[in-house]
Amino acid sequence: MIEYRIDRGTGIATYLQIVQQTKRAMRLGLLEPGDRLPTAREVVEATAINPNTVLKAYRELEREGLVQARRGLGTFVQKSLEAAATQSPLADELADWMKRAHLGGLVREDVAALFSSALEQEFTEGEQ
């Protein structure tokens, strides 16, 4: 089951963090079709956020056709976002690079900045 981590210092809306983390878990194959998302109550207990925020995130995921709410049962993953990326040799190369960066003394924020910069240089906004 996915465990959401809310970072109040990012400037990213809390509901978007839930949406992003759910999509990431789907892309990595950690959430598959038929899996149930945590209930709003479970997310609230784990993260101390407003239940309406969780419901807003789940509605957004439902609007995108990624999950489906089933009355009285919960919210379930409807389709997979698992991409070839997780099976690509590039995933291993990236993990190796991250390890070298960590051993080389870079902190998480340094790595995140480098990664974001490279990502923005390679992909234009809106490009999939």
Tab-separated table of all heavy atoms in Angstrom, residues 73-127:
chain	number	residue	atom	x	y	z
A	73	LEU	N	-16.709	0.769	-0.864
A	73	LEU	CA	-15.560	-0.144	-0.960
A	73	LEU	C	-14.218	0.571	-0.957
A	73	LEU	O	-13.221	0.025	-0.502
A	73	LEU	CB	-15.669	-1.004	-2.226
A	73	LEU	CG	-16.886	-1.915	-2.316
A	73	LEU	CD1	-16.921	-2.614	-3.664
A	73	LEU	CD2	-16.853	-2.932	-1.187
A	74	GLY	N	-14.192	1.781	-1.518
A	74	GLY	CA	-12.939	2.525	-1.575
A	74	GLY	C	-12.631	2.992	-2.976
A	74	GLY	O	-13.478	2.963	-3.866
A	75	THR	N	-11.403	3.412	-3.161
A	75	THR	CA	-10.943	3.908	-4.454
A	75	THR	C	-9.888	2.947	-4.977
A	75	THR	O	-8.931	2.623	-4.272
A	75	THR	CB	-10.362	5.329	-4.311
A	75	THR	OG1	-11.370	6.183	-3.756
A	75	THR	CG2	-9.919	5.887	-5.650
A	76	PHE	N	-10.074	2.521	-6.212
A	76	PHE	CA	-9.226	1.474	-6.775
A	76	PHE	C	-8.514	1.958	-8.038
A	76	PHE	O	-9.081	2.716	-8.825
A	76	PHE	CB	-10.068	0.239	-7.113
A	76	PHE	CG	-10.630	-0.423	-5.890
A	76	PHE	CD1	-11.804	0.040	-5.316
A	76	PHE	CD2	-9.963	-1.481	-5.302
A	76	PHE	CE1	-12.322	-0.556	-4.174
A	76	PHE	CE2	-10.473	-2.082	-4.156
A	76	PHE	CZ	-11.648	-1.615	-3.595
A	77	VAL	N	-7.300	1.484	-8.210
A	77	VAL	CA	-6.536	1.796	-9.412
A	77	VAL	C	-7.234	1.125	-10.586
A	77	VAL	O	-7.573	-0.056	-10.539
A	77	VAL	CB	-5.075	1.293	-9.292
A	77	VAL	CG1	-4.321	1.508	-10.595
A	77	VAL	CG2	-4.373	1.988	-8.129
A	78	GLN	N	-7.439	1.916	-11.632
A	78	GLN	CA	-8.187	1.423	-12.781
A	78	GLN	C	-7.282	1.008	-13.937
A	78	GLN	O	-7.614	0.113	-14.697
A	78	GLN	CB	-9.167	2.492	-13.249
A	78	GLN	CG	-10.164	1.995	-14.247
A	78	GLN	CD	-11.327	2.952	-14.377
A	78	GLN	OE1	-11.340	4.019	-13.807
A	78	GLN	NE2	-12.312	2.567	-15.153
A	79	LYS	N	-6.169	1.707	-14.081
A	79	LYS	CA	-5.281	1.336	-15.184
A	79	LYS	C	-3.834	1.505	-14.759
A	79	LYS	O	-3.540	2.128	-13.757
A	79	LYS	CB	-5.582	2.123	-16.440
A	79	LYS	CG	-5.275	3.590	-16.378
A	79	LYS	CD	-5.699	4.261	-17.664
A	79	LYS	CE	-4.665	5.237	-18.143
A	79	LYS	NZ	-5.055	5.948	-19.343
A	80	SER	N	-2.972	0.961	-15.544
A	80	SER	CA	-1.549	0.975	-15.225
A	80	SER	C	-0.861	2.127	-15.935
A	80	SER	O	-1.202	2.453	-17.070
A	80	SER	CB	-0.921	-0.345	-15.648
A	80	SER	OG	0.463	-0.300	-15.471
A	81	LEU	N	0.080	2.726	-15.266
A	81	LEU	CA	0.943	3.710	-15.913
A	81	LEU	C	2.353	3.160	-16.034
A	81	LEU	O	3.263	3.861	-16.425
A	81	LEU	CB	0.992	5.011	-15.103
A	81	LEU	CG	-0.231	5.893	-15.159
A	81	LEU	CD1	-0.030	7.134	-14.303
A	81	LEU	CD2	-0.552	6.299	-16.584
A	82	GLU	N	2.485	1.897	-15.658
A	82	GLU	CA	3.818	1.303	-15.670
A	82	GLU	C	4.398	1.414	-17.071
A	82	GLU	O	3.829	0.930	-18.034
A	82	GLU	CB	3.757	-0.148	-15.245
A	82	GLU	CG	5.123	-0.761	-15.075
A	82	GLU	CD	5.032	-2.170	-14.517
A	82	GLU	OE1	3.928	-2.619	-14.191
A	82	GLU	OE2	6.078	-2.803	-14.421
A	83	ALA	N	5.497	2.064	-17.149
A	83	ALA	CA	6.139	2.291	-18.432
A	83	ALA	C	7.348	1.388	-18.582
A	83	ALA	O	7.801	0.755	-17.640
A	83	ALA	CB	6.563	3.753	-18.529
A	84	ALA	N	7.851	1.392	-19.763
A	84	ALA	CA	9.052	0.609	-20.025
A	84	ALA	C	10.239	1.139	-19.231
A	84	ALA	O	11.244	0.464	-19.087
A	84	ALA	CB	9.364	0.633	-21.512
A	85	ALA	N	10.076	2.348	-18.683
A	85	ALA	CA	11.182	2.969	-17.964
A	85	ALA	C	11.696	2.118	-16.818
A	85	ALA	O	12.898	2.059	-16.572
A	85	ALA	CB	10.765	4.339	-17.454
A	86	THR	N	10.787	1.453	-16.099
A	86	THR	CA	11.233	0.674	-14.954
A	86	THR	C	12.011	-0.562	-15.377
A	86	THR	O	12.777	-1.101	-14.594
A	86	THR	CB	10.045	0.240	-14.089
A	86	THR	OG1	9.136	-0.489	-14.896
A	86	THR	CG2	9.359	1.434	-13.456
A	87	GLN	N	11.804	-0.999	-16.615
A	87	GLN	CA	12.500	-2.183	-17.104
A	87	GLN	C	13.692	-1.823	-17.971
A	87	GLN	O	14.365	-2.691	-18.495
A	87	GLN	CB	11.513	-3.051	-17.888
A	87	GLN	CG	10.359	-3.494	-17.029
A	87	GLN	CD	9.100	-3.761	-17.845
A	87	GLN	OE1	9.079	-3.588	-19.036
A	87	GLN	NE2	8.050	-4.169	-17.163
A	88	SER	N	13.925	-0.538	-18.129
A	88	SER	CA	15.000	-0.073	-18.993
A	88	SER	C	16.347	-0.169	-18.282
A	88	SER	O	16.448	0.041	-17.077
A	88	SER	CB	14.732	1.389	-19.376
A	88	SER	OG	15.875	1.958	-19.964
A	89	PRO	N	17.398	-0.439	-19.044
A	89	PRO	CA	18.739	-0.366	-18.457
A	89	PRO	C	19.045	1.031	-17.921
A	89	PRO	O	19.898	1.193	-17.063
A	89	PRO	CB	19.664	-0.725	-19.616
A	89	PRO	CG	18.807	-1.305	-20.672
A	89	PRO	CD	17.409	-0.855	-20.420
A	90	LEU	N	18.322	2.028	-18.441
A	90	LEU	CA	18.532	3.393	-17.959
A	90	LEU	C	18.188	3.520	-16.480
A	90	LEU	O	18.786	4.332	-15.773
A	90	LEU	CB	17.692	4.373	-18.775
A	90	LEU	CG	18.092	4.524	-20.244
A	90	LEU	CD1	17.066	5.390	-20.974
A	90	LEU	CD2	19.478	5.115	-20.359
A	91	ALA	N	17.234	2.728	-15.997
A	91	ALA	CA	16.880	2.781	-14.578
A	91	ALA	C	18.073	2.365	-13.729
A	91	ALA	O	18.367	2.993	-12.700
A	91	ALA	CB	15.676	1.885	-14.293
A	92	ASP	N	18.782	1.341	-14.163
A	92	ASP	CA	19.973	0.908	-13.424
A	92	ASP	C	21.076	1.959	-13.503
A	92	ASP	O	21.766	2.222	-12.516
A	92	ASP	CB	20.476	-0.427	-13.980
A	92	ASP	CG	19.509	-1.568	-13.699
A	92	ASP	OD1	18.737	-1.471	-12.724
A	92	ASP	OD2	19.529	-2.545	-14.468
A	93	GLU	N	21.232	2.556	-14.697
A	93	GLU	CA	22.250	3.599	-14.843
A	93	GLU	C	21.942	4.791	-13.945
A	93	GLU	O	22.842	5.366	-13.336
A	93	GLU	CB	22.329	4.060	-16.303
A	93	GLU	CG	22.947	3.043	-17.233
A	93	GLU	CD	23.011	3.552	-18.664
A	93	GLU	OE1	23.185	4.771	-18.873
A	93	GLU	OE2	22.881	2.721	-19.581
A	94	LEU	N	20.680	5.164	-13.874
A	94	LEU	CA	20.294	6.293	-13.026
A	94	LEU	C	20.548	5.959	-11.558
A	94	LEU	O	21.054	6.796	-10.806
A	94	LEU	CB	18.823	6.652	-13.243
A	94	LEU	CG	18.308	7.849	-12.462
A	94	LEU	CD1	19.116	9.117	-12.784
A	94	LEU	CD2	16.832	8.082	-12.749
A	95	ALA	N	20.221	4.736	-11.153
A	95	ALA	CA	20.476	4.333	-9.762
A	95	ALA	C	21.965	4.367	-9.456
A	95	ALA	O	22.373	4.827	-8.380
A	95	ALA	CB	19.903	2.939	-9.513
A	96	ASP	N	22.780	3.915	-10.415
A	96	ASP	CA	24.233	3.969	-10.222
A	96	ASP	C	24.712	5.415	-10.112
A	96	ASP	O	25.549	5.746	-9.276
A	96	ASP	CB	24.956	3.268	-11.376
A	96	ASP	CG	24.809	1.763	-11.325
A	96	ASP	OD1	24.465	1.220	-10.250
A	96	ASP	OD2	25.036	1.117	-12.367
A	97	TRP	N	24.168	6.266	-10.985
A	97	TRP	CA	24.560	7.675	-10.956
A	97	TRP	C	24.184	8.295	-9.606
A	97	TRP	O	24.973	9.040	-9.021
A	97	TRP	CB	23.879	8.451	-12.095
A	97	TRP	CG	24.331	9.867	-12.149
A	97	TRP	CD1	25.405	10.363	-12.821
A	97	TRP	CD2	23.732	10.976	-11.465
A	97	TRP	NE1	25.517	11.706	-12.593
A	97	TRP	CE2	24.501	12.111	-11.769
A	97	TRP	CE3	22.639	11.116	-10.631
A	97	TRP	CZ2	24.196	13.364	-11.264
A	97	TRP	CZ3	22.341	12.369	-10.115
A	97	TRP	CH2	23.116	13.488	-10.435
A	98	MET	N	23.000	7.980	-9.113
A	98	MET	CA	22.559	8.516	-7.819
A	98	MET	C	23.499	8.064	-6.706
A	98	MET	O	23.857	8.840	-5.817
A	98	MET	CB	21.133	8.056	-7.495
A	98	MET	CG	20.072	8.613	-8.390
A	98	MET	SD	19.745	10.337	-7.984
A	98	MET	CE	18.532	10.706	-9.231
A	99	LYS	N	23.892	6.812	-6.769
A	99	LYS	CA	24.810	6.283	-5.750
A	99	LYS	C	26.148	7.026	-5.807
A	99	LYS	O	26.696	7.416	-4.774
A	99	LYS	CB	25.009	4.786	-5.966
A	99	LYS	CG	25.809	4.119	-4.868
A	99	LYS	CD	25.918	2.638	-5.073
A	99	LYS	CE	24.578	2.016	-4.757
A	99	LYS	NZ	24.546	0.575	-4.834
A	100	ARG	N	26.650	7.243	-7.029
A	100	ARG	CA	27.928	7.958	-7.169
A	100	ARG	C	27.799	9.396	-6.685
A	100	ARG	O	28.709	9.929	-6.040
A	100	ARG	CB	28.399	7.925	-8.626
A	100	ARG	CG	28.884	6.557	-9.080
A	100	ARG	CD	29.695	6.602	-10.380
A	100	ARG	NE	29.253	7.546	-11.372
A	100	ARG	CZ	28.410	7.277	-12.373
A	100	ARG	NH1	27.922	6.063	-12.512
A	100	ARG	NH2	28.056	8.203	-13.233
A	101	ALA	N	26.673	10.030	-6.977
A	101	ALA	CA	26.454	11.406	-6.534
A	101	ALA	C	26.436	11.469	-5.003
A	101	ALA	O	27.038	12.365	-4.404
A	101	ALA	CB	25.135	11.944	-7.102
A	102	HIS	N	25.762	10.500	-4.389
A	102	HIS	CA	25.687	10.462	-2.923
A	102	HIS	C	27.069	10.238	-2.326
A	102	HIS	O	27.483	10.930	-1.393
A	102	HIS	CB	24.709	9.370	-2.498
A	102	HIS	CG	24.386	9.394	-1.048
A	102	HIS	ND1	24.252	8.258	-0.314
A	102	HIS	CD2	24.178	10.413	-0.184
A	102	HIS	CE1	23.980	8.568	0.938
A	102	HIS	NE2	23.926	9.874	1.037
A	103	LEU	N	27.791	9.262	-2.879
A	103	LEU	CA	29.145	8.981	-2.391
A	103	LEU	C	30.084	10.155	-2.659
A	103	LEU	O	31.066	10.352	-1.931
A	103	LEU	CB	29.687	7.701	-3.033
A	103	LEU	CG	28.990	6.411	-2.615
A	103	LEU	CD1	29.486	5.224	-3.450
A	103	LEU	CD2	29.202	6.138	-1.136
A	104	GLY	N	29.780	10.923	-3.708
A	104	GLY	CA	30.593	12.076	-4.055
A	104	GLY	C	30.318	13.302	-3.211
A	104	GLY	O	30.921	14.351	-3.409
A	105	GLY	N	29.372	13.163	-2.282
A	105	GLY	CA	29.127	14.259	-1.351
A	105	GLY	C	27.944	15.145	-1.684
A	105	GLY	O	27.683	16.119	-0.976
A	106	LEU	N	27.222	14.843	-2.761
A	106	LEU	CA	26.055	15.657	-3.074
A	106	LEU	C	24.914	15.304	-2.118
A	106	LEU	O	24.723	14.129	-1.778
A	106	LEU	CB	25.596	15.424	-4.517
A	106	LEU	CG	26.579	15.847	-5.610
A	106	LEU	CD1	25.994	15.544	-6.982
A	106	LEU	CD2	26.919	17.319	-5.495
A	107	VAL	N	24.191	16.314	-1.693
A	107	VAL	CA	23.029	16.075	-0.839
A	107	VAL	C	21.796	15.980	-1.723
A	107	VAL	O	21.830	16.310	-2.912
A	107	VAL	CB	22.850	17.195	0.224
A	107	VAL	CG1	24.037	17.204	1.168
A	107	VAL	CG2	22.632	18.538	-0.431
A	108	ARG	N	20.704	15.515	-1.134
A	108	ARG	CA	19.458	15.287	-1.872
A	108	ARG	C	19.060	16.508	-2.704
A	108	ARG	O	18.687	16.384	-3.870
A	108	ARG	CB	18.348	14.940	-0.885
A	108	ARG	CG	17.003	14.719	-1.531
A	108	ARG	CD	15.932	14.492	-0.474
A	108	ARG	NE	16.118	13.244	0.207
A	108	ARG	CZ	15.475	12.115	-0.099
A	108	ARG	NH1	14.593	12.112	-1.062
A	108	ARG	NH2	15.699	11.017	0.561
A	109	GLU	N	19.146	17.684	-2.110
A	109	GLU	CA	18.734	18.899	-2.820
A	109	GLU	C	19.631	19.164	-4.025
A	109	GLU	O	19.165	19.655	-5.054
A	109	GLU	CB	18.734	20.101	-1.866
A	109	GLU	CG	17.621	20.061	-0.835
A	109	GLU	CD	17.938	19.134	0.351
A	109	GLU	OE1	19.125	18.756	0.531
A	109	GLU	OE2	17.000	18.769	1.079
A	110	ASP	N	20.948	18.873	-3.899
A	110	ASP	CA	21.860	19.046	-5.034
A	110	ASP	C	21.453	18.116	-6.178
A	110	ASP	O	21.395	18.526	-7.337
A	110	ASP	CB	23.302	18.702	-4.621
A	110	ASP	CG	23.869	19.654	-3.586
A	110	ASP	OD1	23.400	20.801	-3.499
A	110	ASP	OD2	24.789	19.222	-2.859
A	111	VAL	N	21.203	16.868	-5.835
A	111	VAL	CA	20.831	15.880	-6.839
A	111	VAL	C	19.495	16.264	-7.484
A	111	VAL	O	19.349	16.203	-8.708
A	111	VAL	CB	20.755	14.474	-6.215
A	111	VAL	CG1	20.164	13.471	-7.194
A	111	VAL	CG2	22.141	14.027	-5.761
A	112	ALA	N	18.552	16.691	-6.654
A	112	ALA	CA	17.240	17.086	-7.187
A	112	ALA	C	17.385	18.267	-8.147
A	112	ALA	O	16.745	18.301	-9.201
A	112	ALA	CB	16.286	17.416	-6.044
A	113	ALA	N	18.233	19.224	-7.792
A	113	ALA	CA	18.436	20.389	-8.660
A	113	ALA	C	19.069	19.975	-9.982
A	113	ALA	O	18.653	20.433	-11.049
A	113	ALA	CB	19.298	21.421	-7.941
A	114	LEU	N	20.084	19.113	-9.915
A	114	LEU	CA	20.720	18.644	-11.146
A	114	LEU	C	19.738	17.872	-12.015
A	114	LEU	O	19.672	18.056	-13.226
A	114	LEU	CB	21.928	17.753	-10.808
A	114	LEU	CG	23.178	18.453	-10.314
A	114	LEU	CD1	24.203	17.432	-9.824
A	114	LEU	CD2	23.778	19.309	-11.423
A	115	PHE	N	18.980	16.997	-11.382
A	115	PHE	CA	18.019	16.181	-12.115
A	115	PHE	C	16.952	17.059	-12.771
A	115	PHE	O	16.643	16.897	-13.956
A	115	PHE	CB	17.366	15.162	-11.177
A	115	PHE	CG	16.453	14.214	-11.875
A	115	PHE	CD1	16.948	13.119	-12.557
A	115	PHE	CD2	15.078	14.425	-11.875
A	115	PHE	CE1	16.108	12.245	-13.225
A	115	PHE	CE2	14.224	13.567	-12.533
A	115	PHE	CZ	14.747	12.471	-13.212
A	116	SER	N	16.425	17.997	-12.004
A	116	SER	CA	15.388	18.891	-12.546
A	116	SER	C	15.925	19.725	-13.695
A	116	SER	O	15.247	19.911	-14.707
A	116	SER	CB	14.855	19.816	-11.449
A	116	SER	OG	14.177	19.079	-10.485
A	117	SER	N	17.138	20.210	-13.547
A	117	SER	CA	17.732	21.022	-14.599
A	117	SER	C	17.911	20.207	-15.885
A	117	SER	O	17.567	20.672	-16.977
A	117	SER	CB	19.091	21.551	-14.127
A	117	SER	OG	19.731	22.244	-15.169
A	118	ALA	N	18.435	18.990	-15.753
A	118	ALA	CA	18.621	18.136	-16.929
A	118	ALA	C	17.282	17.771	-17.556
A	118	ALA	O	17.140	17.746	-18.777
A	118	ALA	CB	19.396	16.872	-16.531
A	119	LEU	N	16.303	17.505	-16.719
A	119	LEU	CA	14.960	17.162	-17.196
A	119	LEU	C	14.357	18.312	-17.998
A	119	LEU	O	13.808	18.120	-19.086
A	119	LEU	CB	14.072	16.796	-16.007
A	119	LEU	CG	12.711	16.208	-16.298
A	119	LEU	CD1	12.856	14.838	-16.952
A	119	LEU	CD2	11.920	16.077	-15.006
A	120	GLU	N	14.487	19.530	-17.452
A	120	GLU	CA	13.927	20.698	-18.131
A	120	GLU	C	14.654	20.998	-19.435
A	120	GLU	O	14.054	21.488	-20.384
A	120	GLU	CB	13.967	21.904	-17.196
A	120	GLU	CG	12.962	21.770	-16.067
A	120	GLU	CD	13.103	22.843	-15.016
A	120	GLU	OE1	13.811	23.838	-15.256
A	120	GLU	OE2	12.519	22.673	-13.933
A	121	GLN	N	15.961	20.727	-19.487
A	121	GLN	CA	16.715	20.966	-20.725
A	121	GLN	C	16.308	19.984	-21.812
A	121	GLN	O	16.264	20.320	-22.979
A	121	GLN	CB	18.214	20.838	-20.467
A	121	GLN	CG	18.797	21.995	-19.704
A	121	GLN	CD	20.280	21.790	-19.411
A	121	GLN	OE1	20.893	20.838	-19.869
A	121	GLN	NE2	20.845	22.694	-18.637
A	122	GLU	N	15.996	18.762	-21.422
A	122	GLU	CA	15.721	17.719	-22.406
A	122	GLU	C	14.265	17.701	-22.869
A	122	GLU	O	13.968	17.427	-24.017
A	122	GLU	CB	16.094	16.352	-21.828
A	122	GLU	CG	16.039	15.231	-22.827
A	122	GLU	CD	16.993	15.409	-24.005
A	122	GLU	OE1	18.079	15.994	-23.829
A	122	GLU	OE2	16.638	14.975	-25.120
A	123	PHE	N	13.358	17.989	-21.942
A	123	PHE	CA	11.934	17.908	-22.267
A	123	PHE	C	11.296	19.278	-22.154
A	123	PHE	O	11.445	19.945	-21.138
A	123	PHE	CB	11.210	16.941	-21.317
A	123	PHE	CG	11.673	15.520	-21.444
A	123	PHE	CD1	12.656	15.021	-20.605
A	123	PHE	CD2	11.138	14.687	-22.411
A	123	PHE	CE1	13.090	13.705	-20.723
A	123	PHE	CE2	11.565	13.382	-22.531
A	123	PHE	CZ	12.541	12.881	-21.694
A	124	THR	N	10.548	19.662	-23.182
A	124	THR	CA	9.823	20.919	-23.108
A	124	THR	C	8.574	20.724	-22.279
A	124	THR	O	8.096	19.598	-22.102
A	124	THR	CB	9.423	21.402	-24.511
A	124	THR	OG1	8.602	20.396	-25.109
A	124	THR	CG2	10.630	21.671	-25.370
A	125	GLU	N	8.046	21.818	-21.753
A	125	GLU	CA	6.851	21.722	-20.921
A	125	GLU	C	5.696	21.126	-21.716
A	125	GLU	O	5.466	21.479	-22.852
A	125	GLU	CB	6.451	23.093	-20.388
A	125	GLU	CG	5.351	22.988	-19.375
A	125	GLU	CD	5.261	24.250	-18.538
A	125	GLU	OE1	6.309	24.831	-18.248
A	125	GLU	OE2	4.155	24.609	-18.191
A	126	GLY	N	5.001	20.225	-21.098
A	126	GLY	CA	3.862	19.585	-21.739
A	126	GLY	C	4.235	18.361	-22.547
A	126	GLY	O	3.374	17.601	-22.949
A	127	GLU	N	5.527	18.176	-22.801
A	127	GLU	CA	5.968	17.002	-23.551
A	127	GLU	C	5.888	15.781	-22.660
A	127	GLU	O	6.262	15.828	-21.500
A	127	GLU	CB	7.407	17.197	-24.030
A	127	GLU	CG	7.918	16.087	-24.910
A	127	GLU	CD	9.343	16.373	-25.414
A	127	GLU	OE1	9.851	17.462	-25.167
A	127	GLU	OE2	9.914	15.494	-26.034
